[in-house]
Amino acid sequence: MSPKKVLLALTSYNDVFYSDGAKTGVFVVEALHPFNTFRKKGYEVDFVSETGKFGWDEHSLVTDFLDGQDRDDFLNKSSDFNKTLARINTPKEVNADDYSIFFASAGHGTLFDYPKAKDLQDVASEVYANGGVVAAVCHGPVIFDGLTDKKTGKPLIKGKSITGFTDVGETMLGVDNIMKAKGLASVEDIAKKYGAKYLAPIGPWDDYSITDGKVVTGVNPASAYSTAVRSIEALEN
């Protein structure tokens, strides 16, 4: 296991989801903030998605979510972020033994593909089995749907405390009925399904992340940075 290498997962799903006709996909800052945090701490970062492809969540591109230095990094084709994004691996193209942190970024697109992303889940399980950290932010914890602890054969989050985007937040965004219509499980649903304890912030938009052993989760875009910091601390401590 390399102590200074992170595998940052992206959703491959990029299609119309919102009622205004906008597409979902990767929520920019939920990949950008962790990427920049890991790089500043001296970690190498590789991107991976189940298919080797990805697209952006169009709602995440507005200035409410993407401004200042974040927007500069995003628009600058020569930024470290964009140069690394030019090469998206599939799980088959990476060796889990090379990574000490598996970090699942998010966007509503994850609700479609992460629960079925068996290759991504296998890599995450291997990283965890090797003593590494599995982290996820916002909708990213739906990756735990079917993800097992290789040493016990049990669900990785069984008996653990996790967080992730709240059901209250889905209602506030007006996507709860869309999710129901499409048969999509929320993070709270996944926690219940696998016997995890779901912890919610006081407000759905608060910066809130938690650590339970080598499992680290955060609740929303504002928590992407703190989730990455906690991932490093969980590994190094």
Side-chain angles (χ1 to χ4, degrees), residues 53-189:
K53 298 178 181 179
F54 83 103
W56 298 118
D57 183 297
E58 292 176 342
H59 280 188
S60 75
L61 302 174
V62 301
T63 53
D64 284 351
F65 290 112
L66 189 65
D67 61 3
Q69 187 61 51
D70 290 341
R71 181 166 287 276
D72 291 345
D73 289 343
F74 178 73
L75 295 177
N76 179 5
K77 298 304 180 186
S78 297
S79 69
D80 191 14
F81 179 67
N82 280 315
K83 287 192 290 188
T84 307
L85 266 180
R87 173 76 173 103
I88 307 290
N89 298 282
T90 67
K92 300 290 189 184
E93 294 173 317
V94 301
N95 182 351
D97 294 343
D98 293 338
Y99 302 93
S100 53
I101 298 174
F102 178 97
F103 191 102
S105 69
H108 279 90
T110 59
L111 302 178
F112 291 87
D113 71 331
Y114 274 6
K116 303 172 185 175
K118 299 306 179 188
D119 291 340
L120 272 182
Q121 291 176 343
D122 283 346
V123 174
S125 289
E126 286 288 350
V127 170
Y128 188 82
N130 290 340
V133 170
V134 175
V137 68
C138 202
H139 294 90
V142 297
I143 192 101
F144 293 120
D145 188 1
L147 205 165
T148 59
D149 181 339
K150 288 184 177 292
K151 293 180 180 177
T152 65
K154 295 179 180 179
L156 189 66
I157 57 171
K158 184 176 178 63
K160 290 191 175 295
S161 295
I162 70 164
T163 192
F165 200 67
T166 65
D167 286 356
V168 170
E170 305 291 12
T171 301
M172 291 174 70
L173 289 179
V175 298
D176 52 329
N177 288 330
I178 296 173
M179 289 169 59
K180 289 175 184 176
K182 294 183 179 294
L184 301 172
S186 69
V187 176
E188 292 192 39
D189 292 333

